[in-house]
Amino acid sequence: MATQEIQRVLVSRRRIARRVQALASEIAASYRGRELVMVPLLTGSMIFLADLMRCLPLKMRVDVLAVSSYAGQMTRSREPRILYPKKLQVAGKHVLIVDDILDSGRTLAAVRAILRRQRAASVRACVLLRKHTALRLGMRADFIGFDIPDEFVVGYGMDYNHFYRNLPEIAVLHPSVIATGPHGGNSHSRIAPS
Ligand code: IMP
Ligand code: MG
């Protein structure tokens, strides 16, 4: 990973680890004695989920969900769609959605509505990051890792055009990468899970 592609580190590994542990304590306290279904939204929440669930001393199942979305500032908005699985098994279950970033809030709103239609006993959401836009729009999540400015971030599972997920910290990309695409690519839109 060329370091000149990263403008700056926004959240260090150490701060992430401390906050994930604290979030897990909040979650464990509020679900005490209950069985949980964690529903991570692929692919950006993968590393967050892996760290979070290992700090959670609860009986749980994990049912991944792939949602199509457009990410990045320069893309057109579109309603998120569930790509996987065909059938959810959450009726009567306590569901905790796990996502990387709350931005416009459209993804989370769509997933919440779907899970409620499937008659989950309760639906709550845990996001690693809440962007300023989400805060301004009053978009809600029950457990929030960090509030961040409206900048495009990568690392700790989060990508730009599928790259940079393996960075261990949360970083802001250099604007020139966003203009030209990572490693010389130039695609700004996607419908694959982000
Ligand atoms: P929302 O529906 O606008 O809230 O979109 C949230 C989704 O967009 C997140 O789950 C991410 O997959 C993606 N996203 C939003 N901002 C960023 C970013 O800065 N970096 C990487 N992905 C992002
Ligand atoms: Mg996502």
Side-chain angles (χ1 to χ4, degrees):
M1 193 85 50
T3 48
Q4 67 267 26
E5 292 173 357
I6 300 303
Q7 191 181 58
R8 67 182 198 282
V9 171
L10 194 63
V11 191
S12 68
R13 294 172 83 157
R14 183 197 284 252
R15 278 185 66 208
I16 296 170
R18 272 207 303 260
R19 187 67 192 120
V20 168
Q21 180 65 64
L23 270 179
S25 302
E26 282 177 42
I27 294 167
S30 67
Y31 284 96
R32 185 156 298 145
R34 282 191 242 163
E35 200 177 302
L36 187 59
V37 182
M38 297 192 85
V39 175
L41 309 190
L42 293 180
T43 307
S45 66
M46 197 171 62
I47 294 177
F48 177 41
L49 173 84
D51 284 347
L52 185 68
M53 66 188 280
R54 283 178 293 176
C55 300
L56 278 173
L58 297 170
K59 186 167 183 194
M60 69 169 71
R61 235 173 58 195
V62 178
D63 280 354
V64 300
L65 212 65
V67 184
S68 69
S69 71
Y70 275 69
Q73 291 104 331
M74 62 293 277
T75 55
R76 283 173 299 133
S77 62
R78 188 185 271 196
E79 266 314 295
R81 273 185 311 123
I82 304 275
L83 303 173
Y84 175 89
K86 285 215 175 86
K87 196 168 167 348
L88 288 158
Q89 298 192 323
V90 296
K93 306 289 181 194
H94 295 288
V95 174
L96 181 64
I97 304 165
V98 179
D99 203 10
D100 51 0
I101 304 183
L102 187 59
D103 187 8
S104 73
R106 266 196 309 270
T107 309
L108 205 52
V111 172
R112 266 202 195 102
I114 289 163
L115 293 169
R116 289 201 175 117
R117 274 204 300 277
Q118 304 279 326
R119 301 190 318 280
S122 68
V123 179
R124 294 206 270 176
C126 174
V127 296
L128 175 65
L129 305 175
R130 175 172 62 180
K131 283 198 179 176
H132 185 72
T133 298
L135 189 62
R136 193 170 40 77
L137 296 174
M139 289 300 158
R140 224 179 39 75
D142 303 275
F143 306 95
I144 296 165
F146 299 95
D147 276 304
I148 63 162
D150 285 330
E151 289 185 285
F152 201 83
V153 294
V154 294
Y156 197 64
M158 293 169 284
D159 73 309
Y160 175 64
N161 274 341
H162 309 287
F163 285 97
Y164 312 106
R165 292 194 198 277
N166 54 322
L167 276 180
E169 53 272 300
I170 298 167
V172 177
L173 267 192
H174 199 281
S176 67
V177 180
I178 295 187
T180 59
H183 314 298
N186 63 2
S187 163
H188 294 310
S189 64
R190 53 139 142 245
I191 54 165
S194 57

